[in-house]
Amino acid sequence: KNQVEQSPQSLIILEGKNCTLQCNYTVSPFSNLRWYKQDTGRGPVSLTIMTFSENTKSNGRYTATLDADTKQSSLHITASQLSDSASYICVVSATGGYNKLIFGAGTRLAVHP
Amino acid sequence: DTGVSQNPRHKITKRGQNVTFRCDPISEHNRLYWYRQTLGQGPEFLTYFQNEAQLEKSRLLSDRFSAERPKGSFSTLEIQRTEQGDSAMYLCASTLGPIGNEQFFGPGTRLTVL
């Protein structure tokens, strides 16, 4: 069964600190992996997308890594800001068909001053 | 704003009533997706259109749910005889070009069934 699991479920950090969110997946055949940021009451917004051959990608203070062999990904946030408070969702796309996206449950990050 | 828009943003209804949501995708995006998201969970796929053709439906989409995209542009999602379990955020996303391209999400419609 195609699944995406994220940890931790929730995280509280102080402003300015770094954090790392984890994603494990069992999706096959794998197409790509995305990290989305979802503010409360809003739709998800893409942060990064990585294909099988990519093992790291950055978008400002966000850096995503991918290990296709172990089927693990991480999202590292540096110098956190209050505006980083949101849910971060790992999404894996399977090849074929209609580009089915398998979503993780997300990690809810709270950045406190 | 040229992003994906959804209306209404919030809908409160009584159990047994019918509701209809609308999604306007990014102009010229040929693929449109509907998802349902419950609290603390990631979105779950409901259905997918390529232009006006509905090509895939999830088992989550019971016979009380129907979606249309009559002219290949905006789409509607109707829920008949709503149940409390239908309470969720309903998200729409659109994309253009090859399968695998990024899906752009709308802000969602939050449905509360009393």
Side-chain angles (χ1 to χ4, degrees):
Chain A
K1 181 181 177 182
N2 289 332
Q3 285 187 315
V4 177
E5 296 183 349
Q6 293 187 242
S7 62
Q9 188 174 32
S10 62
L11 182 63
I12 300 174
I13 61 174
L14 294 177
E15 186 179 12
K17 298 297 185 182
N18 303 336
C19 66
T20 300
L21 314 180
Q22 301 291 341
C23 173
N24 296 333
Y25 62 92
T26 56
V27 176
S28 182
F30 175 86
S31 175
N32 56 61
L33 184 146
R34 298 177 172 94
W35 282 92
Y36 278 86
K37 178 185 179 185
Q38 185 174 25
D39 293 314
T40 301
R42 309 288 297 180
V45 175
S46 179
L47 294 175
T48 64
I49 178 171
M50 288 182 291
T51 60
F52 185 89
S53 59
E54 297 174 297
N55 55 27
T56 187
K57 184 162 285 189
S58 293
N59 177 2
R61 295 179 297 102
Y62 301 102
T63 299
T65 65
L66 173 65
D67 185 334
D69 291 331
T70 61
K71 299 186 177 180
Q72 296 179 325
S73 176
S74 67
L75 180 69
H76 187 72
I77 304 174
T78 58
S80 60
Q81 301 175 356
L82 298 179
S83 60
D84 292 333
S85 296
S87 286
Y88 291 84
I89 304 175
C90 176
V91 186
V92 180
S93 176
T95 57
Y98 55 86
N99 186 30
K100 181 177 181 178
L101 300 184
I102 297 97
F103 291 77
T107 292
R108 178 166 293 279
L109 174 66
V111 180
H112 290 182
Chain B
D1 187 351
T2 57
V4 178
S5 62
Q6 293 185 245
N7 288 288
R9 294 293 311 277
H10 303 275
K11 178 69 176 179
I12 300 174
T13 190
K14 293 182 179 180
R15 189 174 49 188
Q17 298 295 306
N18 300 342
V19 294
T20 300
F21 310 141
R22 176 176 170 129
C23 170
D24 287 89
I26 293 173
S27 179
E28 298 180 353
H29 275 196
N30 59 335
R31 296 190 177 85
L32 186 147
Y33 302 79
W34 283 99
Y35 296 88
R36 181 172 69 186
Q37 184 177 26
T38 53
L39 199 63
Q41 299 298 314
E44 295 174 292
F45 170 79
L46 291 178
T47 190
Y48 154 65
F49 290 86
Q50 180 167 315
N51 299 313
E52 67 277 6
Q54 188 174 18
L55 298 185
E56 188 78 26
K57 292 195 294 185
S58 163
R59 286 174 292 178
L60 293 175
L61 213 66
S62 75
D63 56 7
R64 295 185 298 106
F65 288 69
S66 62
E68 295 182 342
R69 196 182 182 199
K71 298 181 179 180
S73 56
F74 73 91
S75 175
T76 58
L77 177 67
E78 181 183 16
I79 308 174
Q80 296 181 328
R81 305 182 303 281
T82 53
E83 302 173 355
Q84 287 185 325
D86 297 332
S87 296
M89 174 80 87
Y90 290 85
L91 293 164
C92 173
S94 70
T95 189
L96 174 67
I99 295 285
N101 278 8
E102 179 181 350
Q103 293 183 22
F104 293 85
F105 284 82
T109 294
R110 178 163 294 284
L111 172 66
T112 301
V113 182
L114 302 177

